[in-house]
Amino acid sequence: MFLLFLCLLAFGMARELGKALGASEVSYLAPLVLVLSVFSFELGIAGVLLLAFLFAYLRWSLDCLLKAVFVLIYAGFLPIYLYMVKSQSSWELIKLVFFAYTVDTASYYAGKLFGKRPLAVRLSPKKTWEGLAGGMLGGMLFFYFINKPVLLAVPFVLIALAGDLFKSFIKRQVGIKDFSNLLGEHGGLVDRFDSVLFVAIFWKFL
């Protein structure tokens, strides 16, 4: 059931990314990449390259190849790390998701209440150093409550921030506010899972 959920998530994120980049048809290939990745990383990477090549060949476009590779890695391959965390235990997956959202929420309110110094104007004008400090504090408190070294939260907060800014870069380049309105004011799936996906890559090192 969880793999089915991840396949739907992969399709949804690929649909949003593909639409933003002008290659929405590639979304149908993302779940296949995810399933291949479950068997092995090597199959997953091979699937990304071969399916992206097929997609681009049918359109005879290098631009389509690059877009397809990006979409399939981000939406099709990266969710495998959520599968890996879930394989450890459901509790680990819950902790991962709550950590990412705790950092995001703490950053938002700290920035809203105290934010004055912009963090990355070109990427996300509303992000501030004060917001980052609030997210750092929220991440440290979360690690304290789950009995992990508090200072270990620092790199994980920065990884969550990197996931957020990575997504923001794409949005700024294509000129959109959110990837979709699927989740109302919270935007689309890519908007909600950006930090979660990046943090999931490194969660196994805890």
Side-chain angles (χ1 to χ4, degrees):
M1 287 299 295
F2 184 65
L3 181 57
L4 175 60
F5 165 77
L6 286 183
C7 285
L8 292 174
L9 176 64
F11 173 77
M13 290 194 300
R15 192 72 175 174
E16 292 176 354
L17 282 170
K19 183 178 179 181
L21 298 174
S24 57
E25 297 90 347
V26 76
S27 58
Y28 296 102
L29 303 175
L32 179 55
V33 168
L34 176 61
V35 172
L36 290 173
S37 301
V38 169
F39 289 100
S40 75
F41 276 19
E42 294 80 7
L43 272 177
I45 294 298
V48 167
L49 297 176
L50 292 175
L51 291 173
F53 168 67
L54 175 62
F55 177 79
Y57 174 76
L58 294 175
R59 289 153 183 79
W60 199 246
S61 167
L62 178 61
D63 184 57
C64 282
L65 175 64
L66 299 177
K67 289 177 179 178
V69 168
F70 170 68
V71 171
L72 292 178
I73 288 177
Y74 192 97
F77 184 76
L78 288 188
I80 189 60
Y81 290 98
L82 294 176
Y83 183 85
M84 291 173 60
V85 173
K86 176 65 165 59
S87 297
Q88 295 177 24
S89 74
S90 297
W91 177 233
E92 282 301 317
L93 180 65
I94 292 171
K95 287 192 293 185
L96 159 63
V97 173
F98 270 85
F99 169 77
Y101 290 150
T102 296
V103 171
D104 186 56
T105 302
S107 298
Y108 172 78
Y109 283 106
K112 188 174 183 179
L113 293 173
F114 308 108
K116 293 182 179 180
R117 296 177 296 173
L119 176 63
V121 178
R122 295 180 68 184
L123 291 174
S124 187
K126 293 183 179 180
K127 279 189 170 46
T128 61
W129 286 100
E130 292 79 7
L132 175 59
M136 198 68 73
L137 178 60
M140 288 180 172
L141 287 173
F142 187 90
F143 268 46
Y144 173 78
F145 285 120
I146 64 172
N147 296 315
K148 296 293 182 181
V150 171
L151 290 180
L152 192 58
V154 174
F156 279 88
V157 171
L158 295 177
I159 291 167
L161 174 64
D164 194 302
L165 293 179
F166 184 86
K167 168 210 66 182
S168 295
F169 175 78
I170 301 169
K171 292 199 296 185
R172 296 297 172 268
Q173 291 296 314
V174 298
I176 59 175
K177 180 179 181 295
D178 293 313
F179 280 97
S180 78
N181 59 359
L182 179 66
L183 303 176
E185 295 181 356
H186 296 286
L189 294 173
V190 176
D191 297 292
R192 287 296 89 200
F193 282 87
D194 52 356
S195 297
V196 173
L197 286 178
F198 271 55
V199 172
I201 299 172
F202 301 95
W203 197 256
K204 64 180 179 180
F205 296 113
L206 283 178

